[in-house]
Amino acid sequence: MSQNQPKKILVAGGGGFIGGHLAGSLLAQGHEVVVADVKQLDKWYQVHEGAQNHVVNLEEKEACYTVMEGCDEVYNLACNMGGMGFIEFNRALCMISVLINTHLLMAARDQGVKGFFYASSACVYPDYRQDDADVMALKESDAYPAQPEDGYGWEKLFSERMCQNFREDFGSNVRVFRFHNVYGPFGTWTGGREKAPAALCRKVIEAVDTGNHDIEIWGDGEQTRSFMYIDDCLSGMARLMESSYTDPLNLGRAELVSINGLLDIIEGIAGITLKRNYDLSKPQGVRGRNSDNALIQSTLGWEPEVNLATGLEKTYRWIEEQYERRKRGEIVVD
Ligand code: NAD
């Protein structure tokens, strides 16, 4: 699937964080871009003037067929999701997103779409491989025997398999990445769906602003993760679409950090040290998770490269700007 010729491309979920960045990048490359999202336009992180923007519910089959008309490629980044605070308490809502990928796959098959991308997640990996903070990085084959995150992880694993089955039975040209936590500007930073990097940036900004130097951490702060900056996510997707690799592949940065370590970096950016209060009753997810990048290295000859300090600086500054704008009474997307 060459990225060089101009194509008509659907970005499903393009009102969201990753989809908004992807739509901008595809437009900059000269493609015709159709963006579809269920949220009203004023809730989109980025609205690109040059794209055809549609507010539609992609759980509905007809909507998928309509917005995909004439498209050469489809990127499915649409789903009902959030950080641990959201997915642990909204399992059924997460499962319903299976309708989005199912109907998009059917429309792509019936309309002769040449390339289909599905955004899976590291939440497909079994809990039993992630119960130690000192983790063995997860390789793709570790997804089985399956015991993913209840709700969200099962939906992702099922949808991955459906992509695989569509490829085998109908010849659909699918690509699947298992994203490990992605962060960056123009994403959820408040309101309950935000993930750790954005949540901690916001809490530190609040502490700087209010002078209240206590900070609440979910769990004991020793749980570990890896975090990938949005630029690496876009770069990875472009490389995967160019490649002929069709099985699910990790896309994550292999720089393991504890939540305490993440906060250390953010405190360094803000030039502040806060008093940490650990709330063990809050959702923490798995104990440790990292991405094994051997397969992406051997298939794409590349792996995510932006280090945390660089990516967090940019993310912190963007959230700080949103925080200031909201304080001035301006309407900002959360
Ligand atoms: P996001 O929540 O910012 O974007 C998802 C978008 O999908 C939202 O704008 C939402 O309104 C839209 N959507 C939800 N239901 C819809 C529907 N019925 N019809 C149309 N649009 C609908 O999330 P994101 O961080 O941009 O994630 C994009 C994809 O990547 C998702 O599939 C997510 O599971 C996956 N992923 C993200 C991360 C991460 O760290 N951000 C990690 C792993 C996987």
Side-chain angles (χ1 to χ4, degrees), residues 8-48:
K8 184 172 179 184
I9 302 177
L10 171 65
V11 180
F17 166 47
I18 301 173
H21 283 280
L22 176 67
S25 161
L26 293 171
L27 280 168
Q29 291 165 48
H31 298 297
E32 183 181 347
V33 178
V34 181
V35 183
D37 202 290
V38 73
K39 290 186 297 198
Q40 293 304 310
L41 273 184
D42 61 357
K43 299 280 180 204
W44 291 23
Y45 291 112
Q46 303 185 65
V47 180
H48 300 287

Side-chain angles (χ1 to χ4, degrees), residues 1 20 32 68 71 83 96 115 129 132-133 136 146 154 225 250 261 271 274 310:
M1 286 184 264
E32 183 181 347
M68 205 182 289
C71 285
I96 290 173
R129 290 197 191 276
D132 191 342
M136 283 286 290
W154 273 113
R225 294 289 186 279
N250 279 334
L274 303 175
T310 307

Side-chain angles (χ1 to χ4, degrees), residues 12-19 36-39 45 56-59 76-81 97 100 118-122 152 156 179-183 188 193 195:
F17 166 47
I18 301 173
D37 202 290
V38 73
K39 290 186 297 198
Y45 291 112
V56 285
N57 184 354
L58 296 172
E59 288 167 11
N76 177 14
L77 297 149
C79 82
N80 212 338
M81 62 92 73
S97 294
I100 302 174
Y118 175 63
S120 183
S121 161
Y152 178 71
K156 290 290 180 193
F179 292 158
H180 291 244
N181 296 301
V182 191
Y183 71 98
T188 314
R193 288 187 188 236
K195 296 185 167 193

Side-chain angles (χ1 to χ4, degrees), residues 45-304:
Y45 291 112
Q46 303 185 65
V47 180
H48 300 287
E49 296 287 323
Q52 296 169 39
N53 298 310
H54 298 275
V55 176
V56 285
N57 184 354
L58 296 172
E59 288 167 11
E60 290 166 11
K61 189 175 165 190
E62 272 182 18
C64 293
Y65 278 74
T66 304
V67 293
M68 205 182 289
E69 249 164 51
C71 285
D72 303 298
E73 282 181 8
V74 173
Y75 287 79
N76 177 14
L77 297 149
C79 82
N80 212 338
M81 62 92 73
M84 284 318 300
F86 179 79
I87 63 177
E88 278 210 3
F89 299 111
N90 294 279
R91 290 177 177 148
L93 278 182
C94 290
M95 290 295 271
I96 290 173
S97 294
V98 77
L99 294 173
I100 302 174
N101 198 56
T102 306
H103 290 143
L104 286 174
L105 272 174
M106 290 167 68
R109 175 199 60 188
D110 295 347
Q111 294 182 176
V113 164
K114 296 182 197 72
F116 187 99
F117 174 86
Y118 175 63
S120 183
S121 161
C123 288
V124 301
Y125 289 111
D127 290 349
Y128 60 79
R129 290 197 191 276
Q130 305 176 80
D131 51 11
D132 191 342
D134 189 16
V135 289
M136 283 286 290
L138 295 158
K139 51 184 187 303
E140 286 75 357
S141 55
D142 288 338
Y144 298 95
Q147 191 190 310
E149 171 83 35
D150 197 7
Y152 178 71
W154 273 113
E155 191 277 318
K156 290 290 180 193
L157 195 63
F158 179 89
S159 292
E160 277 190 2
R161 291 204 74 86
M162 191 179 273
C163 287
Q164 189 181 323
N165 297 146
F166 266 62
R167 172 169 59 80
E168 289 165 0
D169 294 358
F170 305 129
S172 303
N173 191 15
V174 294
R175 301 286 183 278
V176 178
F177 258 142
R178 290 178 184 155
F179 292 158
H180 291 244
N181 296 301
V182 191
Y183 71 98
F186 298 99
T188 314
W189 61 281
T190 186
R193 288 187 188 236
E194 63 278 18
K195 296 185 167 193
L200 291 178
C201 284
R202 190 202 65 238
K203 287 179 183 182
V204 170
I205 290 161
E206 278 166 358
V208 172
D209 181 45
T210 61
N212 176 358
H213 289 186
D214 280 19
I215 185 165
E216 183 195 69
I217 311 277
W218 288 13
D220 64 4
E222 292 307 311
Q223 63 272 36
T224 52
R225 294 289 186 279
S226 71
F227 298 97
M228 170 175 59
Y229 190 60
I230 183 67
D231 289 4
D232 277 332
C233 185
L234 297 182
S235 188
M237 280 192 277
R239 287 163 198 267
L240 184 65
M241 291 302 264
E242 286 257 328
S243 83
S244 55
Y245 192 81
T246 52
D247 285 336
L249 196 57
N250 279 334
L251 184 63
R253 181 146 165 88
E255 180 185 359
L256 193 69
V257 65
S258 67
I259 296 301
N260 281 325
L262 189 66
L263 182 56
D264 291 342
I265 301 173
I266 298 169
E267 284 180 340
I269 294 167
I272 197 172
T273 304
L274 303 175
K275 180 173 175 299
R276 301 177 185 193
N277 301 317
Y278 296 98
D279 187 344
L280 303 183
S281 68
K282 286 285 176 20
Q284 301 166 48
V286 295
R287 190 67 181 149
R289 172 181 292 160
N290 199 4
S291 175
D292 182 311
N293 287 350
L295 194 53
I296 190 171
Q297 276 284 9
S298 65
T299 51
L300 304 186
W302 171 89
E303 67 176 301

